[in-house]
Amino acid sequence: MNLLNYVPGDSFLHKLNPVTKLLAAFLYGIAAIICGNVFAEVGLIILMILISATCGIAKRAILLTRNLFFLGLIMFVIQLFFVRDGEPLAVIGGFVLFTTGGLKSALLLSLRVIAAMLPLMLLFAITQMNDLCNALVKRLHLPYRYAFIVTTAFRFVPIFATEFHDIQDAQKARGVDFDTKNIFRKIGLVAPLCVPLLVSSLKKVDVSAMSAEMRGFELRGYKSGYKEYPFGVRDLVTVAVLVALIAITALWGA
Amino acid sequence: MIRFENVSFGYSEKRPILNDLSFHIEKGDFVALIGANGAGKSTISRLVNGLLHPTKGHVYLNGKDTLKTPSSTLARDCGFLFQNPDRQICENTVKDEIAFSMKAQGWPSDLIADRTRAVLETFDLDPEWFPFSRSRGERQRIALASVLACEPGLLILDEPTTGLDYLECIRIMDHVTGLNQEKGVTVLMVSHDMELVQSYAKNVLVLNHGQILGQGPTNEMMKNVEVLKKARVLPAQIPELALRFGDEFKDVFTVEDMLAALRGRAGKGGAL
């Protein structure tokens, strides 16, 4: 399953204006960032999984949480050993390995990373990138060039993920064993894959740019699209709920 | 060499790609997998070397169950040439690229050096070239050289000549045929190019919607219009022309055969 592809649906969130979805994802991220309580961060992650369930993408949300957990783990280790506030918790031979402040900070930051990134990643599942681009141009009058850059960057993420998977398959077929449990060996094995990925990405971007130019990319303005993206009551309600969520996390989650 | 036992595969249960497929390929054979887009050709090739695993049934390569053997281990028996060489090439010089697979498979360094030298010579490649800046044909040649450096007993070619000019195509295919005929390397080729299949493959497996429609010697299958039609495949031009001429031309498969048959008919004073 590609975790970043669009999943068609008819849910409340699917029907929101794409600009609202983007704004909502950012607001949810802000709520996660200002939240200073470990339990509240866990609550935000669970809440996001429950929200995803209403769109039929709960399984994807859980898989994404699991993947983000590994990123969170890296942040956890860094924070644990580098933040030296509070009382010593683990001491080896007189050397303080980590402290209470380090543990709290590590837990909080790793959960914050997951809670802040999850809504942005789930945005891919409920929003067509073309719609997001067109809505940014139509509603916010963002120059098409910049809207295109933003949405193309998002659009290329799953393409590059697939490309990376194919490159990895090609190396497996040559005898590279990626199943090693040694993390340093794994990094050493994955690093060379960046070269073909970079080469194919640059080629793809170059071809896409030429193709866009050949189809009158420069002529497009905010009046070019025929599809309208009106804001409705549900958009207003969504933003209001998220502002309230930020207020709650600021008041009780600090 | 390769055995498929009641193999089914699909990314979801609703849309199976392969459905209860059973066949085997003998050592030293040169088999072409043909069929329309989405017939399951590339899926079969990826099931053989363990990049994909069957959802039902078993695939055996040299007696090893691909479900139980990692693809990195199967790679010792099986070289895989991808359609796009850019997915495979990952080193900054041709010599490092050729040595890559051997290093990954744990070959001793003196043997790697010897094999690299030999392969560079065979494929007429400069060891210091930066592979990414070479032409498409040269990159494909580098990729093939890198695969063959490990001397695999089975070679899988996934659309090996796409985007190559005629000479480069012939160069690569002649080399593969040489390995098949002289060293007994088994070849499994996925291709849409029926001229290529007609010229090089000994046997053909015709696929349609994940099922085998027909299998047998290439010449025989190329004249099985019914099966090819069902598989939405056009036969190679010479066998197709021969079919239209009728029974007298039933053994015509190449340009030379056609020329001889036409001369024969003209000699008898027959109309073309």
Side-chain angles (χ1 to χ4, degrees):
Chain A
M1 180 200 281
N2 192 326
L3 296 177
L4 299 171
N5 275 352
Y6 173 71
V7 178
D10 200 29
S11 68
F12 177 86
L13 290 183
H14 274 95
K15 286 177 189 162
L16 286 177
N17 187 301
V19 177
T20 311
K21 289 184 208 172
L22 185 62
L23 182 66
F26 273 112
L27 290 176
Y28 205 95
I30 289 170
I33 288 164
I34 61 171
C35 178
N37 183 301
V38 170
F39 297 107
E41 290 286 7
V42 174
L44 282 174
I45 295 170
I46 293 170
L47 179 64
M48 184 42 68
I49 294 172
L50 292 176
I51 292 170
S52 306
T54 66
C55 313
I57 52 170
K59 191 180 168 193
R60 176 180 293 214
I62 291 165
L63 287 173
L64 272 172
T65 309
R66 189 197 64 182
N67 290 359
L68 286 170
F69 174 78
F70 293 108
L71 181 67
L73 201 65
I74 296 168
M75 307 298 282
F76 180 86
V77 172
I78 294 169
Q79 288 286 311
L80 186 67
F81 295 112
F82 286 92
V83 175
R84 316 300 290 173
D85 300 342
E87 297 298 316
L89 254 183
V91 182
I92 296 176
F95 177 75
V96 178
L97 207 57
F98 58 86
T99 63
T100 49
L103 182 64
K104 192 188 167 201
S105 172
L107 263 176
L108 194 62
L109 191 77
S110 50
L111 289 169
R112 191 177 278 161
V113 165
I114 300 170
M117 288 183 72
L118 198 54
L120 277 172
M121 299 190 91
L122 287 168
L123 178 72
F124 290 106
I126 57 164
T127 315
Q128 296 257 38
M129 280 302 127
N130 271 343
D131 282 339
L132 183 61
C133 180
N134 292 339
L136 286 171
V137 174
K138 278 266 172 192
R139 303 305 307 186
L140 304 183
H141 287 202
L142 195 73
Y144 183 71
R145 175 183 284 268
Y146 301 116
F148 183 79
I149 290 169
V150 172
T151 53
T152 305
F154 281 128
R155 191 184 294 142
F156 271 139
V157 172
I159 294 172
F160 289 158
T162 309
E163 187 83 13
F164 184 79
H165 182 256
D166 290 343
I167 290 168
Q168 201 175 20
D169 270 359
Q171 305 312 328
K172 269 189 201 168
R174 301 172 80 188
V176 181
D177 182 12
F178 288 102
D179 296 332
T180 174
K181 289 197 167 67
N182 182 336
I183 187 82
F184 295 106
R185 184 167 151 69
K186 197 155 195 159
I187 293 169
L189 290 171
V190 169
L193 306 192
C194 297
V195 180
L197 183 65
L198 192 69
V199 169
S200 70
S201 309
L202 290 174
K203 278 184 185 167
K204 214 177 276 290
V205 169
D206 201 32
V207 170
S208 298
M210 269 194 284
S211 164
E213 289 287 348
M214 296 302 290
R215 287 180 287 163
F217 177 80
E218 290 293 337
L219 302 172
R220 188 160 175 150
Y222 75 90
K223 286 179 182 167
S224 300
Y226 73 93
K227 210 169 162 185
E228 296 297 332
Y229 296 91
F231 286 112
V233 178
R234 59 164 72 95
D235 296 295
L236 206 65
V237 171
T238 306
V239 174
V241 167
L242 280 154
V243 170
L245 183 73
I246 290 175
I248 292 165
T249 47
L251 285 172
W252 290 294
Chain B
M1 179 99 205
I2 302 170
R3 205 165 78 244
F4 275 56
E5 281 182 3
N6 307 104
V7 172
S8 297
F9 178 82
Y11 292 102
S12 72
E13 280 186 20
K14 286 176 194 164
R15 290 180 62 195
I17 295 171
L18 301 179
N19 209 348
D20 200 25
L21 215 66
S22 295
F23 66 88
H24 71 276
I25 293 172
E26 296 293 343
K27 190 173 173 1
D29 205 348
F30 191 138
V31 179
L33 292 176
I34 62 171
N37 287 337
K41 307 183 295 294
S42 293
T43 304
I44 288 180
S45 67
R46 281 167 169 76
L47 282 164
V48 172
N49 69 347
L51 287 179
L52 296 175
H53 290 137
T55 41
K56 274 183 198 159
H58 293 273
V59 177
Y60 297 94
L61 173 61
N62 282 341
K64 292 174 199 149
D65 188 342
T66 61
L67 278 171
K68 293 174 188 159
T69 320
S71 49
S72 52
T73 307
L74 293 170
R76 293 169 202 270
D77 297 329
C78 163
F80 197 119
L81 182 69
F82 286 78
Q83 183 180 351
N84 182 357
D86 294 342
R87 287 192 177 145
Q88 189 178 315
I89 295 171
C90 63
E91 292 285 2
N92 289 327
T93 61
V94 170
K95 68 172 190 296
D96 287 344
E97 183 58 35
I98 287 169
F100 184 92
S101 309
M102 291 183 278
K103 280 182 188 165
Q105 293 173 26
W107 285 41
S109 51
D110 51 338
L111 204 55
I112 294 177
D114 286 349
R115 279 297 297 156
T116 305
R117 246 194 319 276
V119 166
L120 284 168
E121 209 177 293
T122 309
F123 282 87
D124 191 21
L125 296 166
D126 186 322
E128 299 304 328
W129 274 348
F130 179 57
F132 296 104
S133 65
R134 308 313 301 179
S135 71
R136 168 70 197 247
E138 282 169 339
R139 293 204 305 279
Q140 190 71 313
R141 198 142 42 91
I142 293 166
L144 179 64
S146 171
V147 168
L148 294 180
C150 301
E151 299 179 313
L154 167 69
L155 182 60
I156 301 175
L157 309 168
D158 190 358
E159 299 276 0
T161 56
T162 307
L164 300 189
D165 63 38
Y166 176 72
L167 282 178
E168 203 65 64
C169 169
I170 295 294
R171 197 173 182 176
I172 282 183
M173 289 313 300
D174 281 351
H175 194 88
V176 170
T177 310
L179 285 172
N180 174 252
Q181 287 171 352
E182 288 154 26
K183 294 193 173 173
V185 173
T186 312
V187 182
L188 179 65
M189 177 173 75
V190 173
S191 186
H192 283 289
D193 184 344
M194 290 307 120
E195 305 301 328
L196 196 77
V197 171
Q198 171 69 50
S199 306
Y200 294 98
K202 291 177 190 166
N203 287 297
V204 169
L205 209 85
V206 188
L207 290 162
N208 188 36
H209 296 307
Q211 289 188 316
I212 297 174
L213 284 186
Q215 65 185 113
T218 308
N219 289 343
E220 210 175 276
M221 293 312 294
M222 281 294 160
K223 296 219 164 165
N224 195 336
V225 181
E226 206 175 303
V227 165
L228 294 181
K229 208 173 174 181
K230 257 191 204 167
R232 290 172 289 155
V233 170
L234 273 179
Q237 289 185 353
I238 297 289
E240 191 186 6
L241 189 62
L243 266 176
R244 293 190 194 185
F245 275 133
D247 270 359
E248 201 184 328
F249 283 69
K250 68 178 184 332
D251 294 324
V252 171
F253 299 102
T254 63
V255 173
E256 285 72 27
D257 292 346
M258 178 59 79
L259 208 57
L262 287 173
R263 280 183 180 143
R265 184 181 268 205
K268 287 179 202 165
L272 291 179

